[in-house]
Amino acid sequence: MPVVRGKRIEVLYSASTIAARNLELAKEIAARDYRDLLVISVLKGSFIFSADLVRAMHDAGMEPDVEFIMLSTYGAGTEAGEVKILRDVDSDVSDRDILLVDDILESGRTLTFARDLMLERGARSVGVAVLLDKSMRRQADTPLQPDFVGFECPDHFVVGYGMDVGHAFRELPFVGIVAGDA
Ligand code: IMP
Ligand code: MG
């Protein structure tokens, strides 16, 4: 088991497993009838997934624009989730096909907020791609169905591949669970 910061990390999805899945996701996305697609990476957690997914989309023959929004959800995954825009997109999204890309879909609050924001701004369509789906955690008032899912995630707190605990572990090339002290 890898040891990082003195903790044993149980690998859930290896770098090669994720890379293979990203290629499949990119082909699924390319098979849709998207026109003038704008990918919006939801920072911070999605920075590695987005970087890999847009390159896989290139390999799948796509030419998306890429943008960023930084959101913070206070109490993500809990009932008290209030979403704030820390940094907005620069682009006009009206009449465009949008693909929101995030690391994990849990309660659905963060991505429901982002999707509704883009629809209010006149987006033609808003798709959602997530690396991990904790579907068992979805809240009744935000029952978002993702369009593209890398993996159905077990109900554990995961780190790596962009995902953090207090800004630690984002650099790991795999997704894992902190299993305890080494
Ligand atoms: P939601 O709004 O409840 O769907 O929360 C999704 C957000 O919570 C994700 O974008 C992550 O930033 C964060 N999150 C949820 N579960 C985890 C986890 O297991 N590890 C790290 N971040 C998580
Ligand atoms: Mg996030």
Side-chain angles (χ1 to χ4, degrees), residues 2-15:
V3 173
V4 186
R5 293 177 183 243
K7 305 281 187 196
R8 287 178 296 111
I9 311 286
E10 182 194 330
V11 178
L12 265 185
Y13 306 106
S14 69

Side-chain angles (χ1 to χ4, degrees), residues 42-46 71 102-104 110:
V42 181
L43 297 173
K44 303 170 192 155
S46 78
L71 300 176
D102 206 355
D103 51 358
I104 296 201
T110 311

Side-chain angles (χ1 to χ4, degrees), residues 76-77 102-110 134 156-158 164:
D102 206 355
D103 51 358
I104 296 201
L105 181 56
E106 202 175 278
S107 71
R109 287 223 158 72
T110 311
K134 286 187 188 171
H156 286 288
F157 193 83
V158 297
D164 70 310

